[in-house]
Amino acid sequence: MVSRLRHFFYLAAGLVTVFILHTIVVKRSDFSASQQSTRPSTEATPGSAHIPGWPHAGQSGISSSNSSAVSTPEGRVRAALVALVRNSELEGMRSTIRQVDDRFNRNYGYPYIFLNDEDFTEEFMKQVRAVTNAPVYFGKLPKEHWGLSPYVTEDKVREALERNKDRYLYGGSYSYRLMCRFQSGFVYKHPLLQNLDYYWRIEPDVEYYCDIPYDPFKYMQDNNLMYGYTISPLEAAPTVETLWETTRHWMLENPQFIPDQGFMSWVVDEKAEYTYCHFWSNFEIVNLSFYRSEAYQSYFDHLDRAGGFFYERWGDAPVHSMAAAILLKKEQIHWFEDIGYHHPGYSHCPQDSGMRSR
């Protein structure tokens, strides 16, 4: 009986996957971006032991240092530029602010939000304020947003870090996994973002090659767009070994969330195998109603329970991309081809001569 049930499950899973793939109207090539350079599961039960210095979600002493939601200039979209940044990344963050202000924000004055799992130093806040006239907000992460998931055990996490430390970039990094989990399922829940409809993620030490003579937030709003990106590389396969299988299980359990016409062929090929394509989320402009939706939250919770953020190294980029491919339609996604952008590892430079001349 067990073998028959198992056979039925995989047969059903295959049929659902094929059905979804046959409803797709967009090809992966529609989402290819101009790129340069290269860049290097079973459900777990909550653990009881505690690694010294490793805060459990909901159990550490971390709290928000600013619970007041951000307001935006009158007449502007309710939006902000948001960065998760360390005190040690001050100069890289100042450089990014100068880039963003010079190319775009000096004409619009959208607020900046800086988040940290530790208190920002007075020096950091002073030096950041010194390089922009835009409103600036600083926030500390609530304790439930930063820490070990309650669905993984610390012994298994230790084993995973040791096993993967030489397999791929950040393979042995615990803090990197905390960051990926936070960006995947908590950044949009921070109190400072509660009044916002859109956010633009920024990071230290990035470059913007071209002037942006319009408001991308307004463009997103006017065109009913949900997700905007500029670079779309491949994810390192060993970091997401069970992401697609875990996602497929969620899809089978939640067909009510799947639109009739998505663009899953960008992340899943004709053989229903993961392509590893993803939007590089260090640059993303997002309608936050997408992340706040019941469907996205259900998907994130399913991934969190599976443990892959810690036992593997599921990044927020493949998670966001998989969710967009499943839950959004092609016309809700936008490639900001005209925004020239560099993050260490990859660059995008517009090919259109008019765009390149900005």
Side-chain angles (χ1 to χ4, degrees), residues 187-347:
V187 62
Y188 52 90
K189 295 180 179 180
H190 193 280
L192 287 174
L193 277 70
Q194 294 314 295
N195 283 347
L196 302 183
D197 295 327
Y198 298 84
Y199 99 125
W200 178 339
R201 178 171 163 182
I202 60 173
E203 294 206 347
D205 294 308
V206 299
E207 297 180 59
Y208 290 83
Y209 295 143
C210 311
D211 287 342
I212 306 171
Y214 65 97
D215 183 346
F217 293 124
K218 188 69 164 57
Y219 184 86
M220 295 276 291
Q221 184 181 70
D222 290 347
N223 291 279
N224 299 313
L225 299 170
M226 300 298 288
Y227 192 94
Y229 72 100
T230 187
I231 294 177
S232 56
L234 297 178
E235 182 58 292
T239 69
V240 287
E241 290 174 328
T242 64
L243 177 60
W244 165 233
E245 183 64 18
T246 305
T247 297
R248 193 162 67 102
H249 279 245
W250 178 83
M251 294 171 65
L252 290 169
E253 295 170 0
N254 296 276
Q256 72 276 14
F257 292 135
I258 314 301
D260 291 337
Q261 293 182 335
F263 60 99
M264 277 197 61
S265 62
W266 188 66
V267 294
V268 180
D269 64 19
E270 294 80 1
K271 298 180 180 179
E273 295 179 353
Y274 187 20
T275 66
Y276 303 103
C277 294
H278 71 287
F279 306 124
W280 215 22
S281 57
N282 49 70
F283 174 103
E284 61 178 15
I285 304 176
V286 185
N287 183 326
L288 290 171
S289 66
F290 171 44
Y291 290 157
R292 292 166 178 156
S293 68
E294 180 185 0
Y296 183 86
Q297 190 59 54
S298 172
Y299 177 58
F300 170 76
D301 289 344
H302 180 84
L303 297 184
D304 200 29
R305 287 192 295 270
F309 289 108
F310 294 94
Y311 297 151
E312 297 178 23
R313 201 215 66 189
W314 293 352
D316 52 281
V319 169
H320 287 177
S321 303
M322 190 72 77
I326 296 168
L327 301 174
L328 300 178
K329 298 180 179 181
K330 175 186 177 181
E331 58 267 24
Q332 295 178 295
I333 310 299
H334 181 67
W335 175 30
F336 282 101
E337 180 185 6
D338 59 325
I339 297 182
Y341 176 73
H342 169 79
H343 182 285
Y346 281 106
S347 294

Side-chain angles (χ1 to χ4, degrees), residues 2 4 45 87 114 128 144 169 215 218 285 351 356:
V2 173
R4 288 181 180 179
T45 55
N87 287 302
F114 300 101
V128 163
E144 63 270 20
L169 190 65
D215 183 346
K218 188 69 164 57
I285 304 176
Q351 297 303 301
R356 291 171 67 95

Side-chain angles (χ1 to χ4, degrees), residues 49-52 54 148 153-164 172 174 310-311:
H50 178 60
I51 299 174
W54 287 28
L148 194 66
T153 64
E154 293 182 355
D155 286 344
K156 289 184 179 180
V157 172
R158 282 195 190 95
E159 292 172 3
L161 296 179
E162 180 63 26
R163 181 174 64 253
N164 295 317
Y174 175 67
F310 294 94
Y311 297 151

Side-chain angles (χ1 to χ4, degrees), residues 89-129:
E89 296 172 307
L90 171 60
E91 290 309 315
M93 199 72 255
R94 279 164 51 93
S95 174
T96 293
I97 296 168
R98 291 192 187 98
Q99 292 266 336
V100 174
D101 273 5
D102 180 57
R103 296 300 192 181
F104 161 69
N105 204 38
R106 61 191 170 91
N107 297 319
Y108 294 92
Y110 280 106
Y112 289 94
I113 299 174
F114 300 101
L115 303 176
N116 193 347
D117 65 297
E118 300 178 346
D119 290 319
F120 281 110
T121 64
E122 289 298 325
E123 181 67 11
F124 185 97
M125 294 187 286
K126 175 184 176 181
Q127 293 298 329
V128 163
R129 291 190 182 104

